[in-house]
Amino acid sequence: MSSDPARARRGICLVLSAAPGVGKTSISRELLATETDLSLSISATTRAPRPGEQEGVHYFFRTPEQFAGMVEAGGFIEHASFLDRSYGTPRAPVEQALAEGRDVLFDIEWQGHRLLREALPRDVVGIFLLPPSLRELERRLRGRGQDDEEEIARRMAAARDEIAHWDEFDHVLVNEDFQQTAAAVRTVLHAARGERARQPWLDDFVAGLLRE
Ligand code: 5GP
């Protein structure tokens, strides 16, 4: 956010999508720890919390009935089903952040990215992370130790489905090395902040420059 209100820009919806296990959560964490003006959109979901997951930090955990009520009330910018569970992006915090020139990071899958782009076509910058190989992805999923065999099989099938949508994104990165990928994501964010269309104050500013 600019300290000069006259130079306020509109915030960015930075979407980071990937198959589960590719590393988007670690990269999100790194960015959120180091970037000012960037906050995470906390989704609502009907799935049960995994060990260590906290209400309001990782997700807002809701019953299917509560989730349906939020859909009915127009409380989501987008919502989608994934592995038979519902996930949705609460509307109010995102709209407020964008209007105040703060950027919002989204850790959502391809359907969410597509729907978010439809809802906010000028605000979304989409980045897709690919794994170096599917074998490596399966190794990482097992390494998390969070899921049983059945869940791993479901997640590998979902991974193939997710990867099939790689070409809907503005930027695509192969996550070989965590630090390099995080740096590349950061570069995309910084470049997007400087886009002309996000800085409506420039018209007046340049007119003033030319009058000097
Ligand atoms: P998980 O259950 O592993 O936390 O998430 C499963 C998938 O749902 C991930 O690909 C995650 O990015 C996606 N997801 C999380 N929140 C949302 C959301 O608000 N909307 C959509 N469309 N997908 C989401």
Side-chain angles (χ1 to χ4, degrees), residues 18 24 43 47 50 59 78 80 82 87-89 107-109 111-112 155:
K24 64 181 186 298
S43 301
R47 84 154 163 74
R50 296 203 185 98
Y59 281 106
E78 64 77 35
F82 184 79
Y87 294 84
T89 300
D107 175 343
I108 58 179
E109 43 65 74
Q111 298 176 73
R155 285 184 178 268

PDB file of all heavy atoms in Angstrom, residues 18 24 43 47 50 59 78 80 82 87-89 107-109 111-112 155, ligand 1:
ATOM      1  N   ALA A  18      -1.711 -25.649  -7.649  1.00  0.00           N
ATOM      2  CA  ALA A  18      -0.853 -26.810  -7.925  1.00  0.00           C
ATOM      3  C   ALA A  18      -1.583 -28.030  -7.414  1.00  0.00           C
ATOM      4  O   ALA A  18      -2.497 -27.909  -6.589  1.00  0.00           O
ATOM      5  CB  ALA A  18       0.471 -26.684  -7.185  1.00  0.00           C
ATOM      6  N   LYS A  24       2.913 -25.773  -2.752  1.00  0.00           N
ATOM      7  CA  LYS A  24       2.384 -24.411  -2.758  1.00  0.00           C
ATOM      8  C   LYS A  24       2.193 -23.866  -1.353  1.00  0.00           C
ATOM      9  O   LYS A  24       2.350 -22.654  -1.142  1.00  0.00           O
ATOM     10  CB  LYS A  24       1.116 -24.287  -3.607  1.00  0.00           C
ATOM     11  CG  LYS A  24      -0.084 -25.057  -3.138  1.00  0.00           C
ATOM     12  CD  LYS A  24      -1.214 -24.824  -4.128  1.00  0.00           C
ATOM     13  CE  LYS A  24      -2.531 -25.418  -3.734  1.00  0.00           C
ATOM     14  NZ  LYS A  24      -2.650 -26.840  -3.575  1.00  0.00           N
ATOM     15  N   SER A  43      -9.986 -19.922   3.383  1.00  0.00           N
ATOM     16  CA  SER A  43     -11.183 -20.520   2.793  1.00  0.00           C
ATOM     17  C   SER A  43     -12.048 -21.180   3.857  1.00  0.00           C
ATOM     18  O   SER A  43     -11.564 -21.525   4.935  1.00  0.00           O
ATOM     19  CB  SER A  43     -10.780 -21.591   1.785  1.00  0.00           C
ATOM     20  OG  SER A  43      -9.985 -21.046   0.773  1.00  0.00           O
ATOM     21  N   ARG A  47     -14.448 -30.143   4.824  1.00  0.00           N
ATOM     22  CA  ARG A  47     -13.654 -31.306   5.243  1.00  0.00           C
ATOM     23  C   ARG A  47     -13.223 -31.147   6.706  1.00  0.00           C
ATOM     24  O   ARG A  47     -13.193 -30.045   7.239  1.00  0.00           O
ATOM     25  CB  ARG A  47     -12.469 -31.543   4.307  1.00  0.00           C
ATOM     26  CG  ARG A  47     -11.230 -30.749   4.584  1.00  0.00           C
ATOM     27  CD  ARG A  47     -10.000 -31.493   4.056  1.00  0.00           C
ATOM     28  NE  ARG A  47      -8.843 -30.625   3.926  1.00  0.00           N
ATOM     29  CZ  ARG A  47      -8.117 -30.179   4.950  1.00  0.00           C
ATOM     30  NH1 ARG A  47      -8.464 -30.447   6.199  1.00  0.00           N
ATOM     31  NH2 ARG A  47      -7.060 -29.420   4.715  1.00  0.00           N
ATOM     32  N   ARG A  50      -7.215 -31.547   9.600  1.00  0.00           N
ATOM     33  CA  ARG A  50      -6.121 -32.511   9.764  1.00  0.00           C
ATOM     34  C   ARG A  50      -5.414 -32.175  11.071  1.00  0.00           C
ATOM     35  O   ARG A  50      -5.546 -31.054  11.580  1.00  0.00           O
ATOM     36  CB  ARG A  50      -5.119 -32.377   8.615  1.00  0.00           C
ATOM     37  CG  ARG A  50      -5.691 -32.722   7.257  1.00  0.00           C
ATOM     38  CD  ARG A  50      -4.563 -33.123   6.296  1.00  0.00           C
ATOM     39  NE  ARG A  50      -5.103 -33.332   4.960  1.00  0.00           N
ATOM     40  CZ  ARG A  50      -5.062 -32.419   3.992  1.00  0.00           C
ATOM     41  NH1 ARG A  50      -4.491 -31.253   4.191  1.00  0.00           N
ATOM     42  NH2 ARG A  50      -5.579 -32.685   2.814  1.00  0.00           N
ATOM     43  N   TYR A  59      -8.257 -22.951   7.811  1.00  0.00           N
ATOM     44  CA  TYR A  59      -9.577 -22.923   7.164  1.00  0.00           C
ATOM     45  C   TYR A  59     -10.596 -22.477   8.203  1.00  0.00           C
ATOM     46  O   TYR A  59     -10.341 -22.537   9.410  1.00  0.00           O
ATOM     47  CB  TYR A  59     -10.005 -24.343   6.727  1.00  0.00           C
ATOM     48  CG  TYR A  59      -9.387 -24.848   5.442  1.00  0.00           C
ATOM     49  CD1 TYR A  59      -8.392 -25.826   5.463  1.00  0.00           C
ATOM     50  CD2 TYR A  59      -9.825 -24.373   4.207  1.00  0.00           C
ATOM     51  CE1 TYR A  59      -7.839 -26.314   4.274  1.00  0.00           C
ATOM     52  CE2 TYR A  59      -9.276 -24.860   3.023  1.00  0.00           C
ATOM     53  CZ  TYR A  59      -8.289 -25.821   3.072  1.00  0.00           C
ATOM     54  OH  TYR A  59      -7.747 -26.300   1.898  1.00  0.00           O
ATOM     55  N   GLU A  78     -16.237 -17.406  -4.752  1.00  0.00           N
ATOM     56  CA  GLU A  78     -16.275 -18.633  -5.553  1.00  0.00           C
ATOM     57  C   GLU A  78     -16.337 -19.791  -4.590  1.00  0.00           C
ATOM     58  O   GLU A  78     -15.896 -19.691  -3.443  1.00  0.00           O
ATOM     59  CB  GLU A  78     -15.051 -18.732  -6.480  1.00  0.00           C
ATOM     60  CG  GLU A  78     -13.696 -18.837  -5.779  1.00  0.00           C
ATOM     61  CD  GLU A  78     -13.385 -20.205  -5.217  1.00  0.00           C
ATOM     62  OE1 GLU A  78     -13.775 -21.213  -5.814  1.00  0.00           O
ATOM     63  OE2 GLU A  78     -12.745 -20.274  -4.153  1.00  0.00           O
ATOM     64  N   ALA A  80     -16.243 -24.374  -4.790  1.00  0.00           N
ATOM     65  CA  ALA A  80     -16.101 -25.531  -5.673  1.00  0.00           C
ATOM     66  C   ALA A  80     -16.035 -26.789  -4.828  1.00  0.00           C
ATOM     67  O   ALA A  80     -15.756 -26.735  -3.625  1.00  0.00           O
ATOM     68  CB  ALA A  80     -14.821 -25.386  -6.499  1.00  0.00           C
ATOM     69  N   PHE A  82     -14.250 -30.539  -4.347  1.00  0.00           N
ATOM     70  CA  PHE A  82     -12.984 -31.196  -4.627  1.00  0.00           C
ATOM     71  C   PHE A  82     -12.946 -32.420  -3.738  1.00  0.00           C
ATOM     72  O   PHE A  82     -13.107 -32.293  -2.516  1.00  0.00           O
ATOM     73  CB  PHE A  82     -11.860 -30.206  -4.289  1.00  0.00           C
ATOM     74  CG  PHE A  82     -10.484 -30.675  -4.599  1.00  0.00           C
ATOM     75  CD1 PHE A  82      -9.996 -30.632  -5.902  1.00  0.00           C
ATOM     76  CD2 PHE A  82      -9.656 -31.144  -3.602  1.00  0.00           C
ATOM     77  CE1 PHE A  82      -8.716 -31.057  -6.194  1.00  0.00           C
ATOM     78  CE2 PHE A  82      -8.367 -31.575  -3.885  1.00  0.00           C
ATOM     79  CZ  PHE A  82      -7.901 -31.518  -5.187  1.00  0.00           C
ATOM     80  N   TYR A  87     -15.312 -26.267  -0.857  1.00  0.00           N
ATOM     81  CA  TYR A  87     -14.342 -25.249  -0.471  1.00  0.00           C
ATOM     82  C   TYR A  87     -14.846 -23.921  -1.021  1.00  0.00           C
ATOM     83  O   TYR A  87     -15.369 -23.874  -2.138  1.00  0.00           O
ATOM     84  CB  TYR A  87     -12.976 -25.528  -1.107  1.00  0.00           C
ATOM     85  CG  TYR A  87     -12.304 -26.791  -0.623  1.00  0.00           C
ATOM     86  CD1 TYR A  87     -12.612 -28.029  -1.192  1.00  0.00           C
ATOM     87  CD2 TYR A  87     -11.372 -26.747   0.390  1.00  0.00           C
ATOM     88  CE1 TYR A  87     -11.984 -29.189  -0.752  1.00  0.00           C
ATOM     89  CE2 TYR A  87     -10.741 -27.909   0.841  1.00  0.00           C
ATOM     90  CZ  TYR A  87     -11.056 -29.118   0.260  1.00  0.00           C
ATOM     91  OH  TYR A  87     -10.437 -30.263   0.697  1.00  0.00           O
ATOM     92  N   GLY A  88     -14.677 -22.845  -0.292  1.00  0.00           N
ATOM     93  CA  GLY A  88     -15.139 -21.559  -0.795  1.00  0.00           C
ATOM     94  C   GLY A  88     -14.306 -20.412  -0.262  1.00  0.00           C
ATOM     95  O   GLY A  88     -13.735 -20.491   0.828  1.00  0.00           O
ATOM     96  N   THR A  89     -14.270 -19.335  -1.048  1.00  0.00           N
ATOM     97  CA  THR A  89     -13.523 -18.129  -0.682  1.00  0.00           C
ATOM     98  C   THR A  89     -14.483 -17.079  -0.130  1.00  0.00           C
ATOM     99  O   THR A  89     -15.322 -16.569  -0.878  1.00  0.00           O
ATOM    100  CB  THR A  89     -12.840 -17.535  -1.941  1.00  0.00           C
ATOM    101  OG1 THR A  89     -11.957 -18.517  -2.479  1.00  0.00           O
ATOM    102  CG2 THR A  89     -12.085 -16.266  -1.607  1.00  0.00           C
ATOM    103  N   ASP A 107      -4.611 -19.973  -2.077  1.00  0.00           N
ATOM    104  CA  ASP A 107      -4.106 -21.330  -2.247  1.00  0.00           C
ATOM    105  C   ASP A 107      -5.330 -22.164  -2.641  1.00  0.00           C
ATOM    106  O   ASP A 107      -5.963 -22.796  -1.800  1.00  0.00           O
ATOM    107  CB  ASP A 107      -3.497 -21.758  -0.901  1.00  0.00           C
ATOM    108  CG  ASP A 107      -3.031 -23.199  -0.874  1.00  0.00           C
ATOM    109  OD1 ASP A 107      -3.442 -23.984  -1.749  1.00  0.00           O
ATOM    110  OD2 ASP A 107      -2.281 -23.549   0.042  1.00  0.00           O
ATOM    111  N   ILE A 108      -5.706 -22.080  -3.928  1.00  0.00           N
ATOM    112  CA  ILE A 108      -6.935 -22.758  -4.370  1.00  0.00           C
ATOM    113  C   ILE A 108      -6.653 -23.561  -5.634  1.00  0.00           C
ATOM    114  O   ILE A 108      -5.648 -23.344  -6.299  1.00  0.00           O
ATOM    115  CB  ILE A 108      -8.098 -21.764  -4.617  1.00  0.00           C
ATOM    116  CG1 ILE A 108      -7.732 -20.704  -5.653  1.00  0.00           C
ATOM    117  CG2 ILE A 108      -8.492 -21.084  -3.316  1.00  0.00           C
ATOM    118  CD1 ILE A 108      -8.847 -19.718  -5.940  1.00  0.00           C
ATOM    119  N   GLU A 109      -7.551 -24.496  -5.954  1.00  0.00           N
ATOM    120  CA  GLU A 109      -7.305 -25.345  -7.111  1.00  0.00           C
ATOM    121  C   GLU A 109      -7.903 -24.717  -8.380  1.00  0.00           C
ATOM    122  O   GLU A 109      -8.431 -23.619  -8.342  1.00  0.00           O
ATOM    123  CB  GLU A 109      -7.751 -26.785  -6.838  1.00  0.00           C
ATOM    124  CG  GLU A 109      -9.058 -26.952  -6.141  1.00  0.00           C
ATOM    125  CD  GLU A 109     -10.175 -26.448  -6.989  1.00  0.00           C
ATOM    126  OE1 GLU A 109     -10.525 -27.129  -7.969  1.00  0.00           O
ATOM    127  OE2 GLU A 109     -10.729 -25.362  -6.672  1.00  0.00           O
ATOM    128  N   GLN A 111     -10.453 -25.033 -10.327  1.00  0.00           N
ATOM    129  CA  GLN A 111     -11.836 -24.542 -10.464  1.00  0.00           C
ATOM    130  C   GLN A 111     -11.980 -23.187  -9.770  1.00  0.00           C
ATOM    131  O   GLN A 111     -12.631 -22.283 -10.276  1.00  0.00           O
ATOM    132  CB  GLN A 111     -12.822 -25.500  -9.804  1.00  0.00           C
ATOM    133  CG  GLN A 111     -12.849 -26.878 -10.386  1.00  0.00           C
ATOM    134  CD  GLN A 111     -13.799 -27.762  -9.579  1.00  0.00           C
ATOM    135  OE1 GLN A 111     -15.010 -27.623  -9.662  1.00  0.00           O
ATOM    136  NE2 GLN A 111     -13.244 -28.656  -8.788  1.00  0.00           N
ATOM    137  N   GLY A 112     -11.331 -23.088  -8.606  1.00  0.00           N
ATOM    138  CA  GLY A 112     -11.377 -21.829  -7.855  1.00  0.00           C
ATOM    139  C   GLY A 112     -10.734 -20.709  -8.636  1.00  0.00           C
ATOM    140  O   GLY A 112     -11.253 -19.585  -8.691  1.00  0.00           O
ATOM    141  N   ARG A 155      -5.633 -38.539  -3.995  1.00  0.00           N
ATOM    142  CA  ARG A 155      -4.892 -37.298  -4.240  1.00  0.00           C
ATOM    143  C   ARG A 155      -4.043 -37.396  -5.510  1.00  0.00           C
ATOM    144  O   ARG A 155      -3.873 -36.401  -6.210  1.00  0.00           O
ATOM    145  CB  ARG A 155      -4.040 -36.926  -3.028  1.00  0.00           C
ATOM    146  CG  ARG A 155      -4.912 -36.372  -1.948  1.00  0.00           C
ATOM    147  CD  ARG A 155      -4.213 -35.871  -0.736  1.00  0.00           C
ATOM    148  NE  ARG A 155      -5.248 -35.338   0.129  1.00  0.00           N
ATOM    149  CZ  ARG A 155      -5.650 -34.066   0.137  1.00  0.00           C
ATOM    150  NH1 ARG A 155      -5.052 -33.173  -0.606  1.00  0.00           N
ATOM    151  NH2 ARG A 155      -6.639 -33.691   0.907  1.00  0.00           N
TER     152      ARG A 155
HETATM  153  P1  5GP B   1      -6.885 -29.593   1.133  1.00  0.00           P
HETATM  154  O1  5GP B   1      -8.074 -30.419   1.522  1.00  0.00           O
HETATM  155  O2  5GP B   1      -5.689 -30.426   0.790  1.00  0.00           O
HETATM  156  O3  5GP B   1      -6.569 -28.519   2.154  1.00  0.00           O
HETATM  157  O4  5GP B   1      -7.293 -28.801  -0.184  1.00  0.00           O
HETATM  158  C1  5GP B   1      -7.772 -29.478  -1.294  1.00  0.00           C
HETATM  159  C2  5GP B   1      -7.807 -28.544  -2.475  1.00  0.00           C
HETATM  160  O5  5GP B   1      -8.799 -27.523  -2.298  1.00  0.00           O
HETATM  161  C3  5GP B   1      -6.477 -27.824  -2.686  1.00  0.00           C
HETATM  162  O6  5GP B   1      -6.127 -27.892  -4.060  1.00  0.00           O
HETATM  163  C4  5GP B   1      -6.787 -26.425  -2.271  1.00  0.00           C
HETATM  164  O7  5GP B   1      -5.972 -25.504  -2.946  1.00  0.00           O
HETATM  165  C5  5GP B   1      -8.242 -26.286  -2.681  1.00  0.00           C
HETATM  166  N1  5GP B   1      -8.917 -25.177  -2.015  1.00  0.00           N
HETATM  167  C6  5GP B   1      -8.677 -24.665  -0.785  1.00  0.00           C
HETATM  168  N2  5GP B   1      -9.480 -23.622  -0.535  1.00  0.00           N
HETATM  169  C7  5GP B   1     -10.238 -23.428  -1.632  1.00  0.00           C
HETATM  170  C8  5GP B   1     -11.264 -22.469  -1.981  1.00  0.00           C
HETATM  171  O8  5GP B   1     -11.629 -21.569  -1.255  1.00  0.00           O
HETATM  172  N3  5GP B   1     -11.820 -22.607  -3.205  1.00  0.00           N
HETATM  173  C9  5GP B   1     -11.438 -23.573  -4.062  1.00  0.00           C
HETATM  174  N4  5GP B   1     -12.026 -23.594  -5.248  1.00  0.00           N
HETATM  175  N5  5GP B   1     -10.479 -24.488  -3.775  1.00  0.00           N
HETATM  176  C10 5GP B   1      -9.889 -24.423  -2.580  1.00  0.00           C
END
